[in-house]
Amino acid sequence: MAPKRKLIVIVGITGNQGGSVASRFLSDPRYHIRGLTRNPCSPSARALASKGVEIIPADLDDVATLIPAFRGANLIFSVTNYWEPFFRPDCRAKAAELGMSCRKYAYEVEVRQGRNIADAVATTVESLDENGFIASTLSHAARCSRGRFNELYHFDAKAEVFPDHVGENHKLLARKTSYVQTGFFMSSYRLALGAYFRKTDEDSFLMSFPCSRHAPIPHLDVSTDLGPFIYAVSQLPPGKHYLAAGTTCSWSEYMRIWSETTGNQTSYKETGLQELIENTPDKEFGREIGDMYLYSSNPGYDGGDKTLLKAQDIKKLGAECPMTGLEEWMRKEDWSMVLNQ
């Protein structure tokens, strides 16, 4: 008789992070995968179901839908999404009705949904493996900057739940939890093309961020690498904090690598926050990412935490953790949307 497979539950399985985790665990026949999604009829959900993934409809605003979805899990991967309510027209209308910015509104949604996830996971803590809950998160900008960045909402919304809420309200769960901070997604240039690559001549491009040209930035190929990273973390003891990145380098170094990869001339300009906001079609988006770039200069994208474990540390602990380097990713990327501006 074949041994019973372990159950991993993946929140947001149709997104970049959840999809990457699902892809890695699909290659391990010891696991049965249950994926949570708001729309089980989406093409991506159907594609996963065709591969044997159990797709469960779940509403992160309703704990009652999460508790049965998590029941009996041996491993749970959690991710929350600040940008979904940030960009949704109905959420922006609700924010205006409440007299708050869409940035603050999205923060409140993400905090609420994160707490719901943690509270629901805590109901099945006994079934979880020793390191049975892995949460995607970021550093706490307000705290790490000593109050200089009080409105970096997509950072603080995650950190105020993972680890804060878990540690303060679910002691047993905290002892079975690991936290993974994610680096800058290498694909994020598509969301802010004008700041990443502004065409200044036929074959010349300018990057302009309110970030020091020398600040070390962690870069992550999220779709390819987060799954293997989470898989490796799941094999290690709980209670640790990690940073997932394939390459750490400055933005000026990023542009040097891109220039060598594409054959185009490049330059980097450290700009002011207001200039970035004015040059961003969505001003609220410009303010949110502008604060992120400033924060990345000082104290740093990771909040200045030098204790975070990285891929090389995981390998030293005996777990395989393959990561994609920035140059390797650039050579595979289709840059037509940049070059054909």
Side-chain angles (χ1 to χ4, degrees):
M1 182 176 179
K4 183 180 179 181
R5 291 192 293 171
K6 287 190 172 186
L7 172 62
I8 176 174
V9 179
I10 301 173
V11 177
I13 196 166
T14 58
N16 285 329
Q17 297 192 44
S20 181
V21 175
S23 178
R24 176 61 186 88
F25 278 86
L26 274 168
S27 67
D28 189 337
R30 296 173 299 174
Y31 284 91
H32 171 71
I33 301 174
R34 179 182 295 163
L36 275 56
T37 181
R38 191 177 57 187
N39 182 10
C41 295
S42 70
S44 51
R46 290 174 181 266
L48 286 164
S50 70
K51 297 177 181 179
V53 175
E54 178 189 3
I55 297 294
I56 300 291
D59 182 355
L60 299 184
D61 284 311
D62 184 0
V63 177
T65 70
L66 298 176
I67 291 175
F70 290 145
R71 187 172 296 130
N74 303 111
L75 177 62
I76 296 172
F77 171 74
S78 164
V79 61
T80 51
N81 189 349
Y82 173 87
W83 299 108
E84 197 259 348
F86 177 91
F87 285 116
R88 268 176 47 185
D90 60 326
C91 290
R92 291 205 165 187
K94 185 63 176 179
E97 178 186 327
L98 294 172
M100 68 173 66
S101 70
C102 63
R103 297 169 62 221
K104 178 67 178 296
Y105 182 84
Y107 157 86
E108 294 191 350
V109 171
E110 187 173 22
V111 169
R112 181 175 67 247
Q113 293 182 344
R115 288 175 177 170
N116 288 344
I117 291 169
D119 294 347
V121 172
T123 66
T124 195
V125 66
E126 297 299 331
S127 73
L128 295 176
D129 289 344
E130 179 187 8
N131 189 17
F133 184 43
I134 303 176
S136 174
T137 190
L138 290 170
S139 58
H140 195 288
R143 189 161 57 236
C144 294
S145 70
R146 299 184 179 180
R148 287 188 296 115
F149 294 95
N150 288 316
E151 295 184 343
L152 186 43
Y153 291 120
H154 75 285
F155 274 59
D156 290 358
K158 296 172 180 63
E160 287 173 17
V161 179
F162 311 109
D164 292 2
H165 178 76
V166 173
E168 292 165 6
N169 297 280
H170 302 296
K171 304 298 185 184
L172 292 177
L173 177 60
R175 291 201 285 268
K176 290 189 171 185
T177 301
S178 293
Y179 303 98
V180 175
Q181 294 184 29
T182 54
F184 268 83
F185 293 177
M186 294 179 187
S187 57
S188 290
Y189 77 89
R190 301 167 192 164
L191 301 176
L193 192 62
Y196 269 85
F197 301 104
R198 192 174 83 223
K199 199 167 189 177
T200 58
D201 205 340
E202 183 61 31
D203 62 349
S204 183
F205 294 84
L206 171 68
M207 172 183 280
S208 53
F209 292 145
C211 181
S212 166
R213 64 184 301 108
H214 303 299
I217 306 296
H219 300 277
L220 173 67
D221 183 357
V222 59
S223 297
T224 300
D225 291 350
L226 188 66
F229 196 95
I230 297 301
Y231 185 86
V233 169
S234 73
Q235 300 173 55
L236 301 176
K240 305 295 184 182
H241 294 252
Y242 299 84
L243 176 61
T247 294
T248 297
C249 69
S250 66
W251 288 117
S252 56
E253 177 69 3
Y254 176 105
M255 290 302 277
R256 184 194 65 77
I257 297 171
W258 190 80
S259 176
E260 291 183 353
T261 301
T262 65
N264 292 279
Q265 297 179 352
T266 62
S267 58
Y268 179 82
K269 173 188 174 185
E270 184 176 348
T271 187
L273 174 61
Q274 197 56 43
E275 182 178 343
L276 176 70
I277 294 172
E278 290 172 359
N279 291 330
T280 304
D282 186 325
K283 307 308 179 190
E284 289 291 276
F285 180 68
R287 176 59 188 273
E288 184 70 24
I289 65 170
D291 278 355
M292 174 182 64
Y293 291 122
L294 287 170
Y295 176 72
S296 297
S297 288
N298 184 19
Y301 180 86
D302 57 6
D305 187 351
K306 304 304 181 185
T307 68
L308 296 174
L309 299 175
K310 302 177 177 65
Q312 58 266 33
D313 301 304
I314 291 174
K315 293 174 184 176
K316 290 177 182 177
L317 293 171
E320 291 186 13
C321 191
M323 303 296 286
T324 304
L326 184 60
E327 182 175 357
E328 178 186 356
W329 173 81
M330 284 183 175
R331 293 192 182 283
K332 294 186 295 184
E333 181 72 357
D334 178 4
W335 294 105
S336 57
M337 70 179 298
V338 174
L339 302 176
N340 297 328
Q341 291 183 67

